[in-house]
Each structure stands twice: as C-alpha cells, then as structure tokens.
Amino acid sequence: MKKTIFYFLIFFPLFSYAQQFTGKVFIAGDRGRLEPAAAAAVFWAPETPGGTVKEVVYTDENGGFRIAAGKSHLLVAAYMGFAPDTIHVHEPSHNIEFILHEDAGALETVHILGRQKGNLISKFTPIKTEVITAAGLCKMACCNLAESFENSASVTVGYADAVTGARQIRLLGLSGNYTQMLEENRPAMRGVQVPFGFSFVPGQWLESIQIAKGTGSVVNGYEAVTGQINMEYRKPTAQLPFYLNLFLNDALRTEANIASALQLNDHWSTITLAHVSADLLPHDGNNDGFLDEPLTNRYQLANRWLYEHQSGAQVRFGFRGLYEDRKGGQTNAVWVMPGQAPEQTRWGSRILNKGLNAYLKIGIPLVAHDHDHDHDHDHDHDHDGDDHDDDDHDDHGDHDHDDNHVDPNIAIVLDYNLHEQNTYFGLKEFNAFQQEFFANAMFLSSIGKYHKISLGLSAHLEHLDQTLWDRWAGGGEEFYDLGRKEHAFGGFGEYTLQVDDKLVFIAGARADYNTVFGWLFTPGANVRYNFTEEMVLRASAGRGFRSPYVITDNIGSLSTGRRLLFEGTPQMEEAWTYGVNLTFDLPFGYEEPSTFSVEYFRTDFKNQMIADQEFMFNAPVPAVLFYNLEGRSYTNTYQADFTADLFRGFTLLATFRYNQSKVDLKGQGLVDRPLTSKYKGVLNLQYTTPSENWVFDVTGQLNGPARIPSFAATEEDAYSPVFPMFFAQVTRKINKWEIYVGGENLLNYKQPNPIISADDPFSPHFNASVIWGPLMGIRVYGGLRFTL
C-alpha cells in the first residue's frame, strides 16, 4: 500500500505535467522589437465557429503561460491592441512562442482580451510575486505610488504624522524601511527620500508594480529584509506617441501627467515623462486649526533612452528631476523658507525636496544572434531574439527554444542619485544632502539544460550630510551633526536549478565590506515546486541588513514638542525572514480557474533601531528615545487570497492578512508593536461591460485594531477601533479617451483628534505622530486619459 501511494505521488504530478503546454507571448513593435506581454490571454479556440471559450489563462509579468490540454488543436494568444495569433499544436510542448503585432482592429475582433487583469499572482516565479498591472493602476486615482496599493492586503499604507503628508507602507507587519525599493531592478528610494519617496513616483508613469515578499535576489544588495517592490516605468519602445492624464478632486488637488514615446530609427527610441501637481485649497475638516494635508506643489521631468545594436547589445540611460514644496501645520502659519528663523507663535512646517537621478544600463551578449524573426503558424516558433538587460527582466536572459536557457551575457548597471531636503517642523530644523552612486557588473549564463549561474561585483557609495537643530518645549535646544560617509563593496553569486516549469531552486550569497559596519554575509534561498498544474508550493529563507537613518526613518518624531535623545551608537539592523506559500487553482471560473493562496512569513530581528516614545513621556523633559534593540523583535504574518471570474466581465478579489508583530521596549518588555494593525481585509469587485466601454470598480477594506502608545491610550481605548473604508470608480471609454469619476473613503471615516494638544503646539505634550487611521474624509474626484 505504501509503495502504491509513493508511486502515485511521484508519477501523478509528472503525468499531469505532461499534459501541459507552456511558452511565452511577446508583442512586436514597428521594427520587430520584442517585449514580453504581461496579462495576455491564452486559450484554446472553440471547436466550432462562434463557440464558447472554455478556459482562459493569463501570462505572468514575463509573458510566460501554462495551459492544460484542450479538445482543440488551435492555441490562441491575444493582447489588447494587438492582433491575436493562432498556432496549430498536437503534442504537449514547453517552448511555444507567440509574437503579436499591433492591429487597430484587434479590440473589435477579440472582445475577451480588453480586460487586462488589475492584480495577478505570478505562477512561475520562485518568490510569491503580486503584480499590479497598468489596468490595476487605473482602477482608482493612483496619483502616486502611495495610492497604488488600495487593492492589496499585502501592503498597508498610512501617514507618518498628521502634518507633513509623509506616507509610509508596511509589508509583513513592518515599516517600509525594511522593504527594498527597486526601479527596474536598480536600488531606489533610500535614506532621506524614504519619508516622501512614495509621492515622488507618479502612478501614470508606471507600467506595473511587482511586490515580492521575503528574501529577494542577492544581485540587488543586502537590504531586502521583508521583501522587494519593483517599479516598471513606461518604456521607450512603447507605441505611445502621446498620453495625457488629468485629475481634479473636490479639495482642488490638481494633477497632470504627460508621456510621449518616439522610435527615432532602427536603433534609437526615447520616452519623455512629465508631471505637475498642486494643492490649491487649504482644508481643515476636523477644525483643530491644522491643515489636514499639506499644501504641496510638485514638478517632475524624466527622459529615458534605449539604443539597440544588431548584435543584441543594448544601452539604456536616462535622468529624472524633482522639485517639491510642502507647507503644513496651522492654517494661519507663516511659511518662511527653511534656513530662516522659524515662526515662534504659530506652528508651521515647510519641506523642500530637490532630487536628480541618472542611470546607465548596458547589456552585452557574448553569443551573436540573428534578429530576423520568422513567424510560422504551423509549428513552434524558432525565435532567437535577445533581451539582454531588458528592464522587464532581472535575469537579462535570452528567449529561444528552451525558455530555461540563457546564453552567456554581461550586464552593467550604474546609478547616481542626488537628493537635498531642507525642512523645519515648528521650532525643529532638519537638513540633509545625500549623494549616492551604485554600480553592479554581472555575468549570467546557463550551464547545461537545467542550470544557470550569475556572478558579479557591486559597489555602493554614499555621502550624507545631515544636521538637526532639536528645539523642544521649555526653551532647550541641541545641535546634532548626523552626517556620515558609508561605502559598501561586495561580490555575489547565485545558482539556479530549473527543471522545466516543474521545479525551480535558487541559492545565492553575497559578501560585502561596509566601511562603517565591517563585513556582512548575506545568504538566501528560494524554491518553487509544482505538484500539479493546479498546485504550486513556494518557500524562502534569507538574511537582510540595513543601515539605519534614525531621523528620516522616524520623521514623525519631528512633529512633536519632545526632546530627541540618542542612546548609544546606531548599529547595523539585521534580520532573518522565512516564508512558505501554497497556491491552488480551483475548478470553477468563467474565463479562467479561480485561485486560492495561503502563506506564512516570519521575520526575526537580531538588531533593530528603536524609536521609543513611551519610555520617557513622563520625564521632567519628555523625550523620544532612540536605542538599539534590547531583547526580541519579530513578526508573524498569515495571509489568504482568493480571485475568481464569476461571469463574463466580472472579477472578484478577496484577501485577508493577520499580523502578530512584537517588540521589546524599555520598561514594558515584549509588547505589540505600536500603531501596527493586527489585520486587514480587502474585497474588490470589478465589472466590465461586454462592449468594454464601461468599467465599474468597487473596493472595501476592513482595518483591524492597532496598539495605541501608552501616553495616548486609556484603559478602554488601548487599541484603535476597527474601521471600514470604501472606494469606487466608474470609467467610460470613448475611442482614445477615458473619462473616470470616483470616490475615496466613501463612509467618511476619520481618526478623531489625530493631533494631541493641537491647541498648544509649543507644549511638551504636542504630538502629531500617533496616526492609525485616515486623516481625510470623503473625497470625490474626476479625470480623463487620452492615448494616441
């Protein structure tokens, strides 16, 4: 009997897998340039003309798909705005390729394809990766990155305080400081950019967002403690001569985004992105005398270039500039420029951000390829196109007969970032000037059929000038020079075992010498195993490090009347993160099977920088105390996700996350981490009419309780209340125009009295950083998008 069960477990998955067809879908530009088609539809053609499509699967972010055998032998792939393609296949194959070409009539001929999925979970990545597509970014206003996660329970977005408008995220129950931010797989949004960086990324500049939990690739450094969020920008190769987005809400927040991509010739292409936004109307909805959100003017410009050589080599480079001015505080404040003497009688805050980023990416294939793409519909395609150093891939790999194979290639990435921040918060002044240079050189190649290696060297140089004038209630003041020079030089290696789409195992390690903290060793491993086509297991484990930025990591502490005290020298933060995920396909759904996913992640800190507002709140001079962890700090995160297509055009997404987040604090021992919600539930419903001219989207959230710090809590209200939030949007599509109207926080729920001692802002009890709920009430907005 045991032998029978053993053989069943071994051979049944193999038999199931043998009946699968796998491959990739690409879209071609005017000159045959190929790019992966994320969320393209793949299905078996009906056996009779006009028949019903039985099952539809959608490609992942790299264009990959896997579909079970059907009764038909005609496999179809299609993508919005491109002509569908059909391939005649007989035997199960694992290297099918579709190449789709632009077709203005495609939307009229294949109605099933106009509905790109807004959120999807990749079935092929070894790390559980949630993808928010371009369609998902259009579901709600999504004016910037901070507003792009409303449909995700994985990421929670809140305010750092009730004054500055700084948005912060939480992933796996921990601050977004521990999530490595990437721009097309380049480290981004570090240091002084962190408090406001999510507002610096316009949502309409993005093509997609990938959220990967747990240990990431060691290729990008050692800072991925809880995960990675990668932002994919609109590409120079996009068929987008002109794109315009305009936005206006009832608080007179205005915004405009422009994108224009041009293909200059067979080698050169470029895209220009522009953004301007302004808050024109001061708003104080709770009548506490403070602005509910700062009056902000923001201007951004980016230009990105791509050069492609006939050998397959690519060069990508570009720049981005930023200027932002935030004015917050009391409604009658006088906002002088930072550096001038702050107002002594009216509490005001002004924050100036200026930034410049430039990058260069070079991909060099070490094996020459022919870039003529012959497309034969009667057999699997013989395509040998390169995608070295393509922004859509972190493996810089080639696409050819064997999807697992990568020809030898070299990738070089250079990135320079400059950011200046000049601020004051009441009487406190904080100024920072940060320069960073990042360099990464990597060699990647297959070894045989199932093995790949990547080897590389990296360097990160940072020069940070920081000064703090800490003035607190009672007339005391102290000056701190918090500047530093920190450089890290390292090497890394990563091994990948991939047995078709059945098993992927990745083991990597890097060693870095940090000029402040010494040697750092960062191992990590990820595995994905497909028991069957319908059941995928993922597991990960790894170590992460992070150099703390004490003030910018805790920017809300500046919006208090307290003294800031530093105990000891900040040490490198270190943590281990482990996780497991199981994803099932369920045997029901209209266009594709429904999915159900469960996961568990744990993060254990060996050291962490603590900002403790509770230990000294009753001291003669109340203070915020910063110190290295003394004891334990950990999180346990459980999450379940369910997606379904219930009938034509109607999709449902339901997710629920539970957090257990604990930390040892002075004088209290092990307690719940303050202001961290215990759970969050999300339900999203979307309906697209058969003509695809109307899209209706509704999202509901249920936000769980969070521990309120002891100085602001009572015996009855030690935790914040559970509260719901609702969002809705209606979009009307008319040819090249999209007109949308929507509402946020439709139940008008607001945190009561978010500012402690708002009537006495220069007292030691003043505190605007105890934020657990929304600060703004109901918001109604409208806008339009025009695409040429």
Side-chain angles (χ1 to χ4, degrees), residues 591-611:
E591 292 181 349
E592 61 175 318
S594 302
T595 62
F596 180 70
S597 174
V598 291
E599 66 183 48
Y600 165 75
F601 283 89
R602 179 179 176 88
T603 299
D604 273 307
F605 277 92
K606 304 303 178 184
N607 186 58
Q608 186 179 21
M609 174 55 59
I610 305 297

Side-chain angles (χ1 to χ4, degrees), residues 15 45 68 105 218 268 355 452-453 542 555 597 630 634 672:
F15 173 77
V218 297
W268 288 94
K452 284 188 288 190
I453 60 164
I555 197 73
S597 174
E630 300 173 358
Y634 65 87
D672 285 338

Side-chain angles (χ1 to χ4, degrees), residues 82-258:
F82 290 77
D85 188 14
T86 303
I87 297 178
H88 190 270
V89 292
H90 289 282
E91 300 298 328
S93 176
H94 305 304
N95 58 353
I96 299 171
E97 267 187 12
F98 289 96
I99 301 176
L100 309 184
H101 295 267
E102 189 176 15
D103 181 1
L107 287 176
E108 300 177 4
T109 58
V110 187
H111 295 294
I112 194 172
L113 303 172
R115 300 182 299 275
Q116 186 189 39
K117 298 182 71 176
N119 294 59
L120 59 92
I121 296 175
S122 171
K123 293 183 179 180
F124 298 101
T125 56
I127 305 171
K128 187 198 173 184
T129 304
E130 179 183 345
V131 181
I132 302 175
T133 67
L137 293 170
C138 292
K139 279 188 171 187
M140 287 179 285
C142 292
C143 295
N144 53 56
L145 182 64
E147 300 173 357
S148 302
F149 301 106
E150 301 294 357
N151 288 334
S152 172
S154 299
V155 179
T156 299
V157 182
Y159 286 92
D161 57 69
V163 174
T164 65
R167 306 295 292 269
Q168 60 182 7
I169 68 165
R170 290 187 181 274
L171 183 67
L172 300 186
L174 290 166
S175 166
N177 303 332
Y178 302 106
T179 302
Q180 186 179 34
M181 301 300 300
L182 303 171
E183 288 184 355
E184 296 173 337
N185 296 301
R186 306 187 323 271
M189 210 180 295
R190 300 181 70 259
V192 297
Q193 301 176 66
V194 170
F196 309 102
F198 287 90
S199 300
F200 299 159
V201 182
Q204 298 303 310
W205 283 17
L206 297 176
E207 197 173 74
S208 67
I209 303 168
Q210 293 98 41
I211 306 165
K213 298 179 187 177
T215 305
S217 171
V218 297
V219 170
N220 296 314
Y222 49 69
E223 294 184 323
V225 175
T226 58
Q228 295 175 324
I229 296 179
N230 182 51
M231 300 164 283
E232 291 290 338
Y233 285 77
R234 295 179 183 270
K235 302 295 186 291
T237 53
Q239 301 297 310
L240 193 73
F242 183 76
Y243 172 84
L244 172 69
N245 169 249
L246 300 176
F247 172 90
L248 175 68
N249 73 7
D250 61 338
L252 294 188
R253 177 184 177 183
T254 60
E255 181 172 318
N257 293 282
I258 295 175

Side-chain angles (χ1 to χ4, degrees), residues 26 32 34 95 97 99 309-313 365 367-375 380-388 397-403 405 407:
F26 299 92
L34 301 181
N95 58 353
E97 267 187 12
I99 301 176
H309 191 266
Q310 56 265 28
S311 66
V367 177
H369 289 277
D370 179 6
H371 278 247
D372 293 328
H373 311 296
D374 295 326
H375 191 159
D380 294 340
H381 303 298
D382 188 12
H383 164 58
D384 290 320
D386 291 304
D387 229 347
H388 296 281
D398 290 343
H399 306 291
D400 48 27
H401 272 303
D402 183 354
D403 286 335
H405 180 76
D407 285 330

